Amino acid sequence: MLPWALCALPVLIYAFQAWDHRWILDDGFINFRVVRQIEAGNGPVFNAGQRVEAFTSPFWILVLTVGDVLAPVRLELLSVLLGISCAVAGLGFAVAGSARLWKPIDPEAPLMPAGVLVYIALYPMWYFATSGLETPMIFGWLGLCLFLLSKWASRPDARLSTSAAVVIGLGWLIRPDLLPVTLALLAAVLVGSHDRSWRTVVKLLVAVFAVPVVYQLFRMGYYASLISNTAYAKKANATNWGRGADYLKEFVRTYELWIPLAAVALAGFLPLLRAARSRETRRTTCVALGFAVGGALVGLYVVRVGGDYIHARLLLPALFAICLPVAVLPQRWLSFAAVAIVVPWALVAAFQLRPDVPYRVTIDNRRNLINVEDVIEQPTSRVLALYQRGQIFWEQKRLPYKPAPELPRKTIARGYIGTTGYVVGPDIDVFDTLGLADALTARFRTSSSSAIPGHEKPIPAAWAAARLTDPRSKPDPANFAVQLFGLNLIEPLIPQTSGREFRRQVASVRRALECGDLKAFHDAYAKPLTIGRFFDNVGRSITSSSFSIPADPDQAVREFCHRR
């Protein structure tokens, strides 16, 4: 009984820390606005009438929407409760799954916490049990996968259940970055299975990929896109090894992660590798390697694309996956030696080790800011009153121009769209100047690497003016400077112009928007959806997967209007 109590204690500690550090990030409110659009009958979109996939996790959006319909609590609190539940459940599944994984290897040995201590000691793990993002659902999914696969591994002749295979396939719908984990776990099952007949393999593949394939077809027809718009906006196919390596180094060095990882690797993974020699325990090794390899691939991908602008966030799933099989260890001398290293490290990490740039989780020393009124530091009625004074706004400034005829509603242009979009509701459009929720901006070509990873495509002033203002307007470029956190932190894609040259650029943009492939691209997601357009979009999503837009207006005219 005592060993199980010791293993359960870290889960309880983590639950306390997750609740104590609850918060909502601005990007979390992007998800909440999508939920509100679904409930208003506008579909899974950010702005009504614009079929743009402005979220990364379809499954998280589904759970939030169903929960919001059923639960009698505010959406912000619901997100916190669901996030903590997923994260804590994932940790519980990790402990139980790891314990069952070790049973065939050492059935009599009592268990002790090891890798689980690495998770609960990390400062970012506490904060990303909430935040409004899908990160805690990742923890829950990874832990559940280990729990289900450990059951399969404990019975050498059993087949993987269909329900377990479906769960493994959900990773891609929770976050596309998790596809390497799904593939690694699928490979582990295939290698560890004795029955590899084509019927069995096909049945397994259908169970794993059926749900993701159905959603992918929906995405292609509905959004006219192969991948989420956020992936285009954040250059998910880019390569920036240098910045990514710095992102990884910061994470490892901040918490001296090499210390606990080396300890649990020697005490845990070496015995798991030796277990591959026996037929009874070969599956155990396959499962352990599946998580380790899948986690390493996720981490490698994060490094390849250049990391993230938020400390450690994108590397947490990789670390969690790698440490899952060794969450607990059988009590052996090598395990005791490892835990003797991990425990003091965990204490120092939990109480002393912090990133140089902390998360934006406090305002005026107030913590646990989850309700939108707390985050924006003013009553929502004041925000709504501000935006009732005009038709188009840039940040919080009313623009003195007539709106473009294409703008069907009051429109607010911002680089920080989450809280504003959630406050103003579905009836007011929020024009994303950084492209997460705007398909055209997301497709701008850029070779630059912003100081803020993932925010490298600020809409050029000429494009913003052309899309927001009436053709008879004479917009001032000073009104269209892209901001983040209220500051001009992001380098423009093209040099700024003024006067007659700027107005000429605006005219060029308006011309390009009516030409060839650019107009067809816009119509695919902005025109009313019919059955014919849905099937046309499926094909278009493939042919336009590499579609991009030159930021220079003159080049756009040459490219889209002068083709034959």
Side-chain angles (χ1 to χ4, degrees):
M1 188 63 184
L2 180 60
W4 272 110
L6 287 175
C7 292
L9 182 60
V11 180
L12 297 176
I13 294 173
Y14 181 60
F16 170 80
Q17 291 286 27
W19 174 254
D20 190 51
H21 293 82
R22 62 194 182 277
W23 70 308
I24 301 292
L25 182 66
D26 182 75
D27 287 2
F29 288 97
I30 296 177
N31 291 330
F32 301 164
R33 177 174 167 89
V34 174
V35 170
R36 290 287 182 256
Q37 293 283 15
I38 294 172
E39 294 171 346
N42 298 323
V45 298
F46 190 78
N47 289 319
Q50 301 175 33
R51 295 183 303 278
V52 178
E53 192 176 10
F55 50 89
T56 304
S57 175
F59 201 73
W60 179 236
I61 293 295
L62 173 64
V63 170
L64 283 177
T65 303
V66 173
D68 194 46
V69 171
L70 299 177
V73 297
R74 287 183 58 150
L75 184 53
E76 298 98 308
L77 178 58
L78 173 68
S79 169
V80 167
L81 296 176
L82 287 173
I84 292 176
S85 298
C86 287
V88 173
L91 207 62
F93 281 130
V95 170
S98 179
R100 191 156 59 184
L101 208 61
W102 284 100
K103 278 298 180 184
I105 298 175
D106 201 341
E108 302 300 327
L111 299 169
M112 60 197 304
V116 67
L117 300 177
V118 180
Y119 318 143
I120 70 165
L122 292 178
Y123 180 77
M125 279 289 295
W126 309 340
Y127 281 108
F128 285 102
T130 53
S131 83
L133 301 179
E134 69 282 348
T135 310
M137 181 172 278
I138 297 175
F139 301 148
W141 175 75
L142 287 169
L144 180 58
C145 285
L146 177 65
F147 183 76
L148 295 173
L149 287 174
S150 66
K151 181 179 179 181
W152 169 79
S154 64
R155 296 179 295 173
D157 297 318
R159 291 182 179 179
L160 185 71
S161 68
T162 301
S163 58
V166 171
V167 169
I168 291 173
L170 292 179
W172 186 78
L173 295 181
I174 295 172
R175 188 174 175 90
D177 307 8
L178 298 177
L179 180 59
V181 179
T182 292
L183 295 177
L185 296 183
L186 177 60
V189 172
L190 291 173
V191 172
S193 295
H194 302 296
D195 180 7
R196 298 197 191 100
S197 66
W198 70 269
R199 290 180 181 273
T200 301
V201 172
V202 169
K203 183 180 178 181
L204 175 63
L205 293 176
V206 169
V208 170
F209 293 112
V211 176
V213 166
V214 168
Y215 181 79
Q216 180 63 19
L217 289 174
F218 166 78
R219 167 186 281 152
M220 294 165 70
Y222 188 78
Y223 298 110
S225 180
L226 271 182
I227 57 177
S228 167
N229 192 67
T230 58
Y232 286 113
K234 294 196 172 189
K235 300 169 63 175
N237 62 342
T239 300
N240 195 329
W241 291 103
R243 191 174 67 189
D246 290 339
Y247 185 69
L248 175 63
K249 289 175 186 176
E250 181 202 22
F251 183 38
V252 173
R253 289 176 178 174
T254 297
Y255 308 101
E256 301 294 349
L257 277 172
W258 63 272
I259 297 174
L261 289 180
V264 298
L266 290 173
F269 278 102
L270 283 182
L272 287 170
L273 289 173
R274 285 198 294 266
R277 301 171 185 171
S278 169
R279 179 180 180 277
E280 289 73 22
T281 56
R282 187 172 300 139
R283 285 187 171 183
T284 296
T285 303
C286 289
V287 171
L289 288 179
F291 280 98
V293 171
L297 290 174
V298 170
L300 185 65
Y301 169 76
V302 172
V303 172
R304 175 184 176 271
V305 299
D308 188 36
Y309 75 102
I310 301 177
H311 166 76
R313 177 176 71 103
L314 294 186
L315 290 172
L316 294 178
L319 177 68
F320 195 81
I322 291 170
C323 291
L324 273 175
V326 293
V328 298
L329 295 176
Q331 292 184 12
R332 301 171 171 177
W333 71 268
L334 195 56
S335 300
F336 279 111
V339 172
I341 294 172
V342 172
V343 168
W345 168 86
L347 292 173
V348 173
F351 291 102
Q352 295 293 329
L353 302 182
R354 295 291 182 270
D356 292 334
V357 181
Y359 302 111
R360 293 167 54 88
V361 296
T362 61
I363 297 176
D364 297 331
N365 295 320
R366 293 180 294 127
R367 299 175 67 243
N368 306 137
L369 306 175
I370 61 172
N371 291 333
V372 69
E373 297 90 347
D374 297 327
V375 176
I376 63 176
E377 303 180 80
Q378 58 183 313
T380 57
S381 58
R382 186 178 302 173
V383 177
L384 290 170
L386 169 68
Y387 292 123
Q388 294 303 323
R389 299 171 188 167
Q391 184 65 28
I392 49 175
F393 292 82
W394 191 269
E395 299 294 337
Q396 295 183 333
K397 180 182 178 181
R398 180 175 64 86
L399 296 183
Y401 314 114
K402 288 187 64 176
E406 295 78 17
L407 297 183
R409 288 169 291 276
K410 190 185 297 290
T411 300
I412 304 163
R414 293 211 68 179
Y416 200 48
I417 62 174
T419 49
T420 299
Y422 183 60
V423 168
V424 300
D427 295 331
I428 297 178
D429 284 355
V430 178
F431 183 93
D432 184 4
T433 60
L434 292 173
L436 289 179
D438 183 69
L440 287 179
T441 305
R443 296 293 188 118
F444 279 132
R445 295 173 198 159
T446 174
S447 58
S448 65
S449 295
S450 168
I452 307 176
H455 296 78
E456 297 163 333
K457 297 183 178 182
I459 187 169
W463 285 83
R467 295 179 61 191
L468 291 173
T469 67
D470 185 86
R472 291 165 294 183
S473 301
K474 294 183 179 180
D476 182 347
N479 290 325
F480 301 95
V482 175
Q483 297 183 344
L484 190 66
F485 311 125
L487 301 171
N488 298 327
L489 299 174
I490 304 176
E491 181 181 349
L493 294 183
I494 57 176
Q496 185 62 279
T497 59
S498 60
R500 182 178 300 177
E501 176 62 17
F502 178 73
R503 290 193 292 273
R504 189 192 62 78
Q505 285 187 329
V506 173
S508 294
V509 171
R510 291 192 173 115
R511 183 182 175 194
L513 289 171
E514 296 300 320
C515 290
D517 290 345
L518 183 56
K519 186 177 188 305
F521 174 79
H522 174 266
D523 290 350
Y525 70 84
K527 293 293 185 181
L529 185 66
T530 63
I531 294 176
R533 185 174 294 279
F534 182 92
F535 286 105
D536 286 344
N537 283 350
V538 171
R540 180 175 295 279
S541 67
I542 298 173
T543 58
S544 66
S545 60
S546 59
F547 177 80
S548 61
I549 303 170
D552 180 78
D554 296 329
Q555 185 179 345
V557 169
R558 290 192 297 270
E559 186 164 323
F560 297 117
C561 299
H562 294 168
R563 283 182 175 176
R564 293 183 180 179

